[in-house]
Amino acid sequence: MALDNKMAGKDLNDDDIRDKIPLVAKDHPEHKSRFSVGGVEFGGPLIPVMAGPNTVENEEMIVKTAKSIKASGAHFLRGGAFKPLTFPYRSEKYYETREQGLEWLQVAKKETGLPIVTEVMDVAKIDVVAKNSDMLQIGTRNMQNYVLLTEVGKTGMPVMLKRGYGSSLRDWLMAAEYIALEHDRLGQQQQIVLCERGVVSNHTHRAGSRFLLDLQVVPAAQDVTHLPVMTDPSHATFWQPWVRPMMLASIGAGADGLMLEVHPNPPEAAVDPLQCSSLEQFDEMMKAMRPVAAAIGRTLDA
Ligand code: PEP
Ligand code: MN
């Protein structure tokens, strides 16, 4: 049925697609962006897996994690040096390692060759984060920080844009357009990956969980945009036992990548201990994903 173009709503209509997101919208049904970041191809048959701790806690743990996930077949190392912690107090339990954490990520990269994706929250820190990463992550809380989106776009670096946990697909794609516009002004290909990381909902099935993984947004986004669309079942479920099934379901739903939180000692994780998988669990999860990917013509092996 035709969409009513006169109605400005929370969902996308044809006028929106033509006038407000011309760069991230598909030109034709098979249109899909394909690009390589640190030797890892997005938008092709490969399903890149980004794994690592919530927080880069110290050099030893990030190097240990990197070596282990690399051996299991992960493609990217993730880890927050600058963290959007929900409250302002920092302690021995809740901390950010900031510039020091970025240096430790670089040590882990040198040891393993894994490219780095890490969050940038502040325009003033874009330079230092960009120098120490291969892909800039914009977190859920900053999805509509338009100044940040524009300045990150101006670096020309590959970007992973997480979906705001209360944002529509319309808002998400329009936020991506801010970055795409800067890549276009630089005369380069758009190198943007979208990441669904859970949305707020009335019911979350468990008193301690906060979000629901919106798997339906994967095909919904892919209908409209040529950008790769990945999921983060760790942040979405907030509960490790549910990560594996939602990870497998994401592949079935057609996700173009996965972000998974992995920690060498989950009960001791500085942030989000309930959602991270151990190194051993991650190894098993990689093994479980391979046949599911193969069943739909995708692969985990570069
Ligand atoms: C993260 O990936 O570490 C993170 C903070 O995620 P989100 O922005 O989705 O909460
Ligand atoms: Mn996290």
Side-chain angles (χ1 to χ4, degrees), residues 19-288:
D19 300 333
K20 297 181 179 136
I21 53 165
L23 295 172
V24 304
K26 285 176 158 180
D27 293 336
H28 54 87
E30 275 72 52
H31 185 188
K32 183 100 187 178
S33 274
R34 236 170 132 147
F35 52 88
S36 210
V37 182
V40 177
E41 196 183 48
F42 289 83
L46 180 73
I47 301 176
V49 176
M50 303 172 171
N54 185 293
T55 303
V56 183
E57 297 171 16
N58 56 62
E59 181 174 324
E60 190 195 348
M61 72 83 74
I62 196 69
V63 170
K64 180 177 179 181
T65 305
K67 285 181 175 165
S68 179
I69 62 159
K70 165 94 179 180
S72 300
H75 308 93
F76 256 82
L77 177 65
R78 65 141 284 140
F82 292 97
K83 293 297 307 169
L85 294 170
T86 316
F87 50 88
Y89 303 107
R90 301 297 183 257
S91 63
E92 272 180 29
K93 177 93 185 78
Y94 294 100
Y95 56 87
E96 298 168 273
T97 52
R98 302 169 70 87
E99 283 85 351
Q100 178 71 260
L102 294 176
E103 282 174 29
W104 292 332
L105 283 169
Q106 283 305 303
V107 175
K109 179 178 174 174
K110 280 198 192 82
E111 296 268 338
T112 60
L114 286 173
I116 305 294
V117 57
T118 194
E119 180 159 356
V120 59
M121 299 193 297
D122 180 350
V123 169
K125 298 293 181 187
I126 291 175
D127 276 355
V128 69
V129 178
K131 280 197 190 85
N132 290 289
S133 61
D134 298 276
M135 180 178 270
L136 297 172
Q137 174 171 331
I138 296 187
T140 190
R141 293 163 183 83
N142 274 316
M143 188 203 83
Q144 289 179 307
N145 182 340
Y146 300 120
V147 176
L148 183 66
L149 297 176
T150 296
E151 294 303 316
V152 161
K154 283 180 185 168
T155 67
M157 291 262 302
V159 181
M160 184 184 72
L161 179 64
K162 286 195 153 189
R163 180 185 181 188
Y165 51 65
S167 297
S168 62
L169 173 59
R170 184 178 190 270
D171 288 347
W172 194 15
L173 295 179
M174 289 182 186
E177 188 81 8
Y178 272 85
I179 304 164
L181 178 58
E182 299 309 323
H183 287 185
D184 197 59
R185 284 178 171 149
L186 290 170
Q188 68 169 63
Q189 186 193 12
Q190 298 164 40
Q191 300 202 338
I192 306 166
V193 184
L194 302 172
C195 182
E196 154 62 25
R197 49 78 68 214
V199 292
V200 289
S201 144
N202 289 346
H203 308 288
T204 52
H205 320 307
R206 189 175 175 274
S209 58
R210 297 153 88 189
F211 308 109
L212 274 189
L213 181 64
D214 179 9
L215 271 185
Q216 187 167 302
V217 87
V218 173
Q222 289 168 338
D223 279 350
V224 178
T225 183
H226 56 85
L227 301 175
V229 184
M230 55 183 285
T231 74
D232 173 353
S234 302
H235 283 89
T237 60
F238 207 59
W239 183 234
Q240 197 279 331
W242 295 347
V243 173
R244 186 182 187 278
M246 290 300 96
M247 167 194 87
L248 296 176
S250 294
I251 294 178
D256 297 306
L258 281 159
M259 173 166 268
L260 297 164
E261 275 196 0
V262 178
H263 192 282
N265 185 6
E268 295 300 316
V271 180
D272 296 347
L274 299 180
Q275 76 191 29
C276 57
S277 302
S278 69
L279 302 175
E280 297 73 25
Q281 284 170 326
F282 178 71
D283 189 63
E284 187 282 325
M285 286 152 69
M286 286 295 294
K287 290 192 171 87

